[in-house]
Amino acid sequence: MSQPASFAPEDQTQDLFLGGRLRLSQPRHGYRAATDPVLLAAACPARAGESVLELGCGVGVASFCLGARVTGVRLHGLELQPAYAELARHNAMVTGISLEVHQGDLRQMPAGLRGSFDHVIANPPYFAPQDGTAARDSGRETAQREDTPLADWLLAARKRLHPGGWLTMIHLAERLPDILCAMEGFGSVAVLPLAARPGRAASRVILRARKGARGPFRLLAPLIMHDGPGHDGDRENYAPAVRAILRDGAALAAFG
């Protein structure tokens, strides 16, 4: 499957995030960001003046959500697919949130990203190489299908972090054992399970860890995404804490 070098205007949509605070271009038929990058941004403990590198930034949704919440954070993104990197640069220009976008492979880090950062955030592809049927769209397939092993994502993050820097990652709950096995050089690991409704198993996790730290592992109480036992018609039923993140750009307070 060939990948486009860029997306024509008619192949893009304009999508609202953070209750309309952000209007971002996304591919109409490729990989389209939903809630996960917004939650990822809310979990990152960056402060004004600190530097953040997003590995696999796509069109920049997580970075822009973080930049909308934390004024003065210095944002950098690495994206494998040129067309998505180009859209991320366009979104930076339109939003006025500075994001320095580099196109390349995290296994061969571009020269401009060989420094170190206070934070690394990542939303790696969820699907293992052997799982399911390939997506018809090449961009979606590349964004969602794991080609680079998770261990390589974690190694790249560790290499790019300052001593004491923070890694924040969102992934499938079933991949947590693989992530924890590859956490060499990290400590003070905290895992937040994400469950759709009360009483349901977590489908995803947000993990936060610190380079070189020696603090204990913490498994936090689950974040319940929706109120009630099931979907109630057309009414949005996000739990209040989740609604504050998705609509108002609030920080995710569960990590303390």
Side-chain angles (χ1 to χ4, degrees):
M1 294 182 290
S2 61
Q3 298 185 13
S6 61
F7 294 107
E10 61 270 20
D11 295 327
Q12 302 175 29
T13 61
Q14 306 299 310
D15 300 301
L16 301 179
F17 294 86
L18 304 185
R21 288 172 62 188
L22 291 176
R23 184 181 183 92
L24 302 177
S25 295
Q26 296 200 89
R28 187 178 300 277
H29 301 296
Y31 171 74
R32 295 175 55 78
T35 60
D36 284 1
V38 186
L39 293 167
L40 174 65
C44 178
R47 296 179 293 183
E50 293 184 333
S51 57
V52 181
L53 169 62
E54 182 180 0
L55 297 176
C57 69
V59 303
V61 174
S63 290
F64 293 124
C65 287
L66 179 56
R69 176 169 63 85
V70 184
T71 302
V73 72
R74 292 178 283 120
L75 299 168
H76 304 258
L78 174 65
E79 172 52 39
L80 178 65
Q81 302 187 76
Y84 287 77
E86 182 180 289
L87 269 190
R89 296 185 187 103
H90 169 77
N91 285 331
M93 180 179 64
V94 171
T95 62
I97 298 174
S98 178
L99 173 64
E100 185 176 309
V101 182
H102 298 256
Q103 190 273 316
D105 191 323
L106 61 83
R107 292 169 294 188
Q108 298 176 327
M109 195 66 63
L113 288 175
R114 290 179 186 166
S116 57
F117 299 84
D118 297 299
H119 301 269
V120 170
I121 62 175
N123 179 16
Y126 281 180
F127 301 129
Q130 70 275 12
D131 289 349
T133 303
R136 287 181 293 179
D137 180 88
S138 61
R140 179 188 293 270
E141 175 68 9
T142 298
Q144 295 184 328
R145 181 81 52 189
E146 183 180 309
D147 178 56
T148 301
L150 273 173
D152 288 352
W153 285 77
L154 290 161
L155 177 61
R158 180 166 58 82
K159 286 183 174 180
R160 298 279 70 80
L161 281 168
H162 296 318
W166 288 96
L167 165 69
T168 308
M169 175 182 287
I170 188 168
H171 214 292
L172 296 178
E174 65 192 58
R175 299 303 303 278
L176 181 58
D178 299 322
I179 295 171
L180 294 177
C181 285
M183 293 296 293
E184 181 181 356
F186 288 99
S188 300
V189 179
V191 174
L192 175 66
L194 305 178
R197 297 189 183 277
R200 295 193 186 178
S203 60
R204 291 163 294 162
V205 294
I206 299 176
L207 176 143
R208 205 157 83 181
R210 198 166 196 178
K211 181 176 176 178
R214 297 184 179 275
F217 174 85
R218 293 187 298 150
L219 181 61
L220 305 175
L223 176 67
I224 307 301
M225 297 290 292
H226 300 275
D227 285 332
H231 185 62
D232 182 13
D234 293 331
R235 183 177 64 85
E236 181 185 278
N237 61 352
Y238 285 116
V242 175
R243 189 182 306 113
I245 291 168
L246 299 181
R247 301 293 177 249
D248 303 327
L252 205 169
F255 288 93

